[in-house]
Amino acid sequence: MFNKRLELTTEDDVVKKEKISACLKTDIIGKNLYLYKIIDSTNTKALSERLSGAIEGSVFIAEHQTSGKGRLGRNWIANDNKNILMSILIYPDIKLADISKLTLIAGLSVCKVIINELGLNAYLKWPNDIIINNKKVCGILINSKISNESVEGLAIGIGINVNSKYLPMEIEKKATSLAIESQSLLDRSKIITLILERFEKDYLIFLNNPVIPAEYKRLSCTLQKEISFYKHGTKITALAKDIAPSGNLVVQSKDKEYEIGSGEISIQDIY
Ligand code: BTN
């Protein structure tokens, strides 16, 4: 059900640190919040602050990024002052192989907030794009600092199209926003608060037991679909069968079963 509390009450659409801090019920995530009007990339900033001794759970939020990073070396394109561009800095004591699982967990956390608080039909496109009405509304990118085979810090970068009524030309055919889908302007500070709370719960559960929850599969719009992907330059079409315990996507082509660990898949009719 759409939660009216999340509607913007004034035209003044600004993310406010005080508003987030006043409502936030977490122990670690978001205890320190840093807001920037303009920055190169919140992920880059978060990892550089790791070196300067930022505490675990510090959150970096920007209204505009000059070089927002997307997956697979792409740029993240977003309108200014309308969206959520944030990175959560964490220092998990996990194996390197578990990092990719955490990207799935972060996607799941955001997806649950969109479903449960905004009442929108959101789904997860493997690994962690969030899709509404076949278009992308959120992307997640983890950047890491690894030393001697151990995780020193992770920046969980979350980009959500929130209040853009029109999306930049480069992405308009394949992207949507929460405002377009809910027909309302939304309070970004409240949505950030809910995501930080949800992510903290899911993160702590994951640290205790680093497995991918069954819920991820339930909210997947990838499983049981015919997908395509490139392997060594050749296009392969296959059925998406399962999510392996590692977080890899298990697919069955005409002659072979594969596990895909990274990269991009295409699903017919989804952007
Ligand atoms: C994707 O390509 O789907 C991932 C996009 C991730 C974008 C977010 S915006 C906040 C954070 N800072 C960045 O530079 N990128 C991530």
Side-chain angles (χ1 to χ4, degrees), residues 40-44 65 67-71 76 84-87 129 136 138-141 157-159:
D40 51 355
S41 150
T42 55
N43 268 23
T44 308
Q65 294 184 123
S67 19
K69 297 179 176 189
R71 290 182 64 235
W76 181 251
I84 293 177
L85 306 167
M86 74 171 171
S87 302
D129 285 352
K136 178 160 166 174
C138 169
I140 291 174
L141 170 73
I158 302 174

Side-chain angles (χ1 to χ4, degrees), residues 1-54:
M1 271 298 287
F2 178 63
N3 184 342
K4 283 270 173 205
R5 273 188 312 118
L6 295 179
E7 244 174 329
L8 197 61
T9 48
T10 69
E11 280 303 297
D12 178 28
D13 182 17
V14 178
V15 175
K16 296 207 175 81
K17 186 170 158 173
E18 303 68 35
K19 193 162 169 183
I20 301 172
S21 300
C23 303
L24 189 67
K25 294 189 208 72
T26 55
D27 292 326
I28 319 162
I29 307 294
K31 285 291 162 199
N32 275 3
L33 291 169
Y34 301 91
L35 254 67
Y36 305 91
K37 279 207 162 20
I38 176 161
I39 199 162
D40 51 355
S41 150
T42 55
N43 268 23
T44 308
K45 181 69 183 166
L47 282 188
S48 75
E49 289 300 311
R50 160 70 178 118
L51 299 172
S52 322

Side-chain angles (χ1 to χ4, degrees), residues 55-71:
I55 61 166
E56 164 155 55
S58 297
V59 174
F60 302 82
I61 303 168
E63 291 287 12
H64 173 69
Q65 294 184 123
T66 52
S67 19
K69 297 179 176 189
R71 290 182 64 235

Side-chain angles (χ1 to χ4, degrees), residues 130-150:
I130 299 178
I131 305 293
I132 304 178
N133 280 329
N134 294 340
K135 290 181 165 186
K136 178 160 166 174
V137 73
C138 169
I140 291 174
L141 170 73
I142 293 200
N143 287 125
S144 53
K145 168 135 188 36
I146 312 282
S147 219
N148 299 324
E149 294 290 295
S150 79

Side-chain angles (χ1 to χ4, degrees), residues 71 76 103-115 120-140 158-161 174-178 181 195 216 219-222 270-271:
R71 290 182 64 235
W76 181 251
T103 68
L104 304 196
I105 301 291
L108 181 59
S109 301
V110 177
C111 195
K112 286 191 289 190
V113 169
I114 295 175
I115 295 171
L120 295 170
N121 290 324
Y123 295 96
L124 289 156
K125 178 182 172 228
W126 184 88
N128 53 16
D129 285 352
I130 299 178
I131 305 293
I132 304 178
N133 280 329
N134 294 340
K135 290 181 165 186
K136 178 160 166 174
V137 73
C138 169
I140 291 174
I158 302 174
I160 312 175
N161 301 325
K174 48 189 183 182
T176 187
S177 72
L178 297 177
E181 299 300 330
I195 290 173
Y216 179 91
L219 295 179
S220 167
C221 62
T222 306
I270 298 187
Y271 71 89

Side-chain angles (χ1 to χ4, degrees), residues 72-125:
L72 310 170
R74 298 182 184 133
N75 296 326
W76 181 251
I77 301 166
N79 294 325
D80 299 349
N81 307 314
K82 297 224 172 288
N83 297 309
I84 293 177
L85 306 167
M86 74 171 171
S87 302
I88 306 172
L89 179 62
I90 50 171
Y91 306 146
D93 184 11
I94 56 172
K95 300 196 196 91
L96 294 190
D98 286 340
I99 297 177
S100 53
K101 293 189 208 168
L102 249 184
T103 68
L104 304 196
I105 301 291
L108 181 59
S109 301
V110 177
C111 195
K112 286 191 289 190
V113 169
I114 295 175
I115 295 171
N116 298 336
E117 305 290 342
L118 292 169
L120 295 170
N121 290 324
Y123 295 96
L124 289 156
K125 178 182 172 228

Side-chain angles (χ1 to χ4, degrees), residues 174-245:
K174 48 189 183 182
T176 187
S177 72
L178 297 177
I180 293 172
E181 299 300 330
S182 66
Q183 306 279 313
S184 336
L185 288 178
L186 301 164
D187 187 324
R188 291 181 293 152
S189 306
K190 286 187 188 160
I191 296 177
I192 290 172
T193 308
L194 291 166
I195 290 173
L196 299 181
E197 289 176 353
R198 182 69 260 163
F199 177 70
E200 176 167 293
K201 291 199 180 93
D202 295 340
Y203 173 53
L204 294 176
I205 292 171
F206 179 79
L207 287 183
N208 228 0
N209 183 20
V211 297
I212 296 156
E215 225 174 352
Y216 179 91
K217 294 190 195 181
R218 211 167 38 77
L219 295 179
S220 167
C221 62
T222 306
L223 293 178
Q224 307 317 323
K225 295 263 171 63
E226 186 173 286
I227 61 139
S228 50
F229 61 100
Y230 283 88
K231 197 172 160 75
H232 309 308
T234 307
K235 185 172 175 181
I236 296 176
T237 302
L239 177 76
K241 273 178 57 178
D242 202 2
I243 306 293

